[in-house]
Amino acid sequence: MSRWLADSLRIALAPGEVALLRPRGTPASRVLTTGEPGVAGLLPLLDEALADPDWHGRRVEVVVSQHFVRHVLTPPPGKALSSAEEQALVMGSLRGIYGDEAGQWQVEVMSQPPNHGLVGAAMDAVFVQRLDALLARHGFRDIAIHPLASAAARHLPNNYAGWWVLAEPGWLSLFGGTRRAWQHLAAQPADTDWIATLPELIEREAGLATCTPPAAVWIQAVGTGAVSAPVSSHTRWQVLPHDREASGALALLRL
C-alpha cells in the first residue's frame, strides 16, 4: 500500500451503506446504513458521518462499489491517441451500449497499448460532482474517487494472466487479460449461488472474447463470506486471500 493511502481516511460506498476506515485513532471504523439501494441516499449518510470532527482530515480515498460503475473496452485504436481522443473513443463505446444515458456519466480512461482497446470506467457525473463538493466542504483537499476494481486490482499477482472475477454481494465483474493489457470485460448481477455458475460464465465469455485469455481464473471475493473454487476441468482456479468476516461497505476497505 502506498504511503498516500496509509495516511488517508478511506471511505466505501456500497448499496445502502457507507463505511469509513482510518489507519490509526479511535474510533477506527464506522458504518451507516439506509434502506435506499441507489447512490442518491448515500451522500446524506456520508455528510452525517463527516459532521463528526473525529473523521476530519486532509486526504481521503473513496472506493465505489462496482454496482455503481459501468466499464467498457473499446476497439483497439491502432495508434497512440491524445487524451481528448481517448475520452471520445470511450464515450462513443459507452453510448453504443447504453445509449443517451451515457451522456450523464463521468468517465475515467485507462490507456493500453494501441493494439488493445482502451478501458473506461463510468459513474454518474452529478453524483461524483456532489461527492467531491461534499468532501471539500468537510475540509478534504487531496481527494481520490475510484471504482472498487481499481483498488482490488492492486492485489492481483504479478504473474496474472487469465480471468479475474471480482465478486460482491449481488454483482460480478469479470476481466480477462494480463498485467500488460485487458482483453475482455463483462459484468452482471449475481445471486447467492454465483460460485457454482462461474464455469458456465467463464466459458460463455471466452466464446465472446476476440482474444481468449489463458484458462486460469483468479477469484477475488469482497464481502461474500468464505469462498471455495468451483470444480471443473481444463481450468486452473485460484481464490485470492480475502477477509471472510467483513461484510457490506466495510469489506470494500479491507482488501
Side-chain angles (χ1 to χ4, degrees):
M1 179 180 291
S2 71
R3 182 174 179 179
W4 195 98
L5 295 179
D7 293 340
S8 302
L9 173 65
R10 302 186 70 213
I11 296 170
L13 305 178
E17 284 195 359
V18 171
L20 299 91
L21 182 70
R22 58 185 174 186
R24 57 184 64 89
T26 302
S29 65
R30 186 180 181 189
V31 177
L32 296 89
T33 63
T34 176
E36 185 176 344
V39 294
L42 298 178
L43 295 185
L45 283 183
L46 182 58
D47 198 22
E48 174 189 340
L50 294 177
D52 184 339
D54 282 344
W55 297 101
H56 288 182
R58 178 177 177 81
R59 296 174 173 175
V60 61
E61 177 201 22
V62 183
V63 179
V64 182
S65 165
Q66 294 293 115
H67 282 265
F68 306 133
V69 181
R70 294 297 174 262
H71 288 283
V72 70
L73 181 66
T74 74
K79 62 177 183 178
L81 302 178
S82 67
S83 295
E85 290 172 326
E86 289 186 338
Q87 283 278 338
L89 180 56
V90 168
M91 183 55 71
S93 293
L94 286 167
R95 286 184 181 275
I97 298 171
Y98 299 102
D100 292 341
E101 181 184 2
Q104 303 173 25
W105 296 343
Q106 180 170 312
V107 176
E108 290 189 4
V109 178
M110 187 182 83
S111 300
Q112 300 204 109
N115 58 324
H116 294 281
L118 303 170
V119 176
M123 289 187 278
D124 180 84
V126 172
F127 167 72
V128 174
Q129 291 161 8
R130 289 178 177 172
L131 173 58
D132 192 74
L134 185 157
L135 295 169
R137 189 169 70 250
H138 284 284
F140 293 97
R141 294 295 174 263
D142 295 330
I143 300 170
I145 303 170
H146 51 241
L148 172 63
S150 297
R154 302 170 191 150
H155 300 280
L156 285 172
N158 290 330
N159 64 345
Y160 168 78
W163 297 95
W164 171 37
V165 178
L166 179 58
E168 299 176 72
W171 195 260
L172 289 181
S173 301
L174 180 66
F175 302 79
T178 68
R179 277 289 193 178
R180 182 173 178 267
W182 297 116
Q183 301 165 342
H184 189 78
L185 306 181
Q188 65 178 42
D191 58 25
T192 56
D193 197 35
W194 62 271
I195 195 72
T197 62
L198 271 185
E200 180 182 348
L201 173 62
I202 299 295
E203 182 179 0
R204 184 190 74 197
E205 294 302 323
L208 296 173
T210 55
C211 182
T212 305
V217 181
W218 280 260
I219 301 171
Q220 193 164 15
V222 181
T224 65
V227 171
S228 298
V231 177
S232 65
S233 59
H234 310 302
T235 301
R236 180 166 56 93
W237 300 90
Q238 298 185 55
V239 178
L240 293 172
H242 62 283
D243 188 335
R244 300 182 179 190
E245 302 301 323
S247 62
L250 198 56
L252 277 62
L253 301 178
R254 290 183 169 169
L255 291 171

